[in-house]
Amino acid sequence: ETLNSSLRLAETVVSDLIKFDLDRASEDIEAASRTCLTEVLLTLIGNLREYRPYLPDSLFEIDRAGEESSTLPTYDLAPGATTSGAVSIVFTDIVSSTPIWENTPEEMVRALRTHNSIIRKLISTNIGYEVKTIGDSFMTSFFNFEDALLFGIGVQDALFKASWPSDLYVPPRYLLNGWTGLMVRIGIAHGVVVPEKNVLTGRFDYFGSVVNKAARLEAYCQPGCVAVEEASFSDEMLPEEWTAELKRCTLKGIRETASVYLL
């Protein structure tokens, strides 16, 4: 009976994966009786989610009764790839991920799925482009600064309000601020970049000083905040419940003193 259950589960999941429907596959695994394949399949789904942006576009060209074939942005929607001009580069990074993994690894797996789902949904909502993931960090790009800012604010709001595993380790200093789950730093820089298509993955990447500055802004940023350059920002862009604090700082590797708003 256990063997039959495993075979039925495998058949169901394979059917989902043929359509690359990762959400349905996860639901089917969770709904089925636990078998020797359960953890293996959950790990497989988790890995596919992580590497989804780098898989061939042909995987998403399956007809799903009128549904869109993929939630990923098409390659020609990569900001700056087909038109000249400035774009916004955004980096996000989970705060204190190492002690969280060490203290509550199983809960962190589930929390990371929530984190990734929130970020990818908001990339799509704000017409952004997922460039790549680097560990538990995301690099994204947007056609304009306002969309990038709405993405950053939306991510922080959604993470604060999200439901997290009850046993997930959260550093005590963050509990005092009301956080019950993962926190991220977000840095946004706007300007002219050098886009380049990766011949292996087909995805666009970006290079240049704007990319470096976005990464440095993320590193400077406080947990739960968004760091942006003064030149790109105005108070009118912020929702009423958000505040902006101007800081003068030195960003690593950048000579000039920077004027940075922490939101």
Side-chain angles (χ1 to χ4, degrees):
E1 180 59 33
T2 301
L3 177 58
N4 289 336
S5 297
S6 296
L7 291 174
R8 286 194 298 268
L9 176 59
E11 183 179 6
T12 300
V13 173
V14 168
S15 177
D16 295 332
L17 292 182
I18 287 175
K19 303 175 184 177
F20 217 86
D21 193 338
L22 300 183
D23 292 334
R24 176 64 63 82
S26 295
E27 291 171 3
D28 288 338
I29 295 170
E30 296 290 353
S33 301
R34 294 189 69 83
T35 74
C36 59
L37 289 180
T38 299
E39 292 301 324
V40 174
L41 291 172
L42 285 174
T43 300
L44 172 62
I45 299 302
N47 289 338
L48 287 173
R49 289 188 190 280
E50 289 298 310
Y51 287 98
R52 180 169 178 167
Y54 307 103
L55 295 173
D57 196 48
S58 59
L59 285 176
F60 307 99
E61 296 174 351
I62 297 172
D63 185 11
R64 299 184 188 177
E67 295 181 1
E68 292 183 1
S69 58
S70 173
T71 57
L72 283 173
T74 55
Y75 298 146
D76 60 354
L77 286 182
T82 57
T83 59
S84 59
V87 303
S88 288
I89 300 295
V90 184
F91 281 94
T92 74
D93 191 31
I94 295 176
V95 178
S96 301
S97 61
T98 299
I100 299 175
W101 277 113
E102 290 179 350
N103 284 278
T104 50
E106 293 183 4
E107 290 79 3
M108 182 56 167
V109 171
R110 301 201 302 274
L112 193 61
R113 290 174 188 151
T114 298
H115 163 273
N116 292 355
S117 176
I118 286 171
I119 286 184
R120 289 187 168 122
K121 180 179 180 180
L122 286 163
I123 291 172
S124 177
T125 299
N126 293 287
I127 320 176
Y129 184 81
E130 181 177 334
V131 181
K132 57 188 174 183
T133 56
I134 310 165
D136 50 33
S137 302
F138 275 78
M139 176 184 177
T140 60
S141 62
F142 294 83
F143 288 93
N144 58 68
F145 178 78
E146 289 79 3
D147 287 341
L149 183 62
L150 288 174
F151 163 77
I153 291 172
V155 167
Q156 297 293 18
D157 279 340
L159 290 176
F160 185 78
K161 298 172 182 176
S163 297
W164 301 101
S166 58
D167 294 332
L168 181 71
Y169 173 77
V170 178
R173 61 185 180 278
Y174 302 136
L175 287 171
L176 297 176
N177 295 322
W179 285 86
T180 60
L182 300 182
M183 299 181 73
V184 300
R185 298 182 178 91
I186 299 178
I188 305 174
H190 185 77
V192 177
V193 297
V194 180
E196 184 173 303
K197 190 172 184 179
N198 187 308
V199 295
L200 296 178
T201 66
R203 307 281 304 165
F204 276 96
D205 204 344
Y206 299 89
F207 304 92
S209 60
V210 173
V211 177
N212 297 334
K213 186 171 290 185
R216 299 311 183 196
L217 286 167
E218 177 271 305
Y220 172 76
C221 187
Q222 297 297 309
C225 296
V226 181
V228 301
E229 295 178 277
E230 180 184 18
S232 303
F233 174 77
S234 66
D235 289 334
E236 292 78 14
M237 298 177 181
L238 274 185
E240 290 184 1
E241 63 273 18
W242 279 71
T243 60
E245 182 179 3
L246 184 61
K247 299 279 190 178
R248 307 290 181 184
C249 63
T250 301
L251 302 177
K252 184 178 179 180
I254 297 177
R255 294 180 183 177
E256 298 178 358
T257 300
S259 297
V260 177
Y261 274 107
L262 283 181
L263 315 177

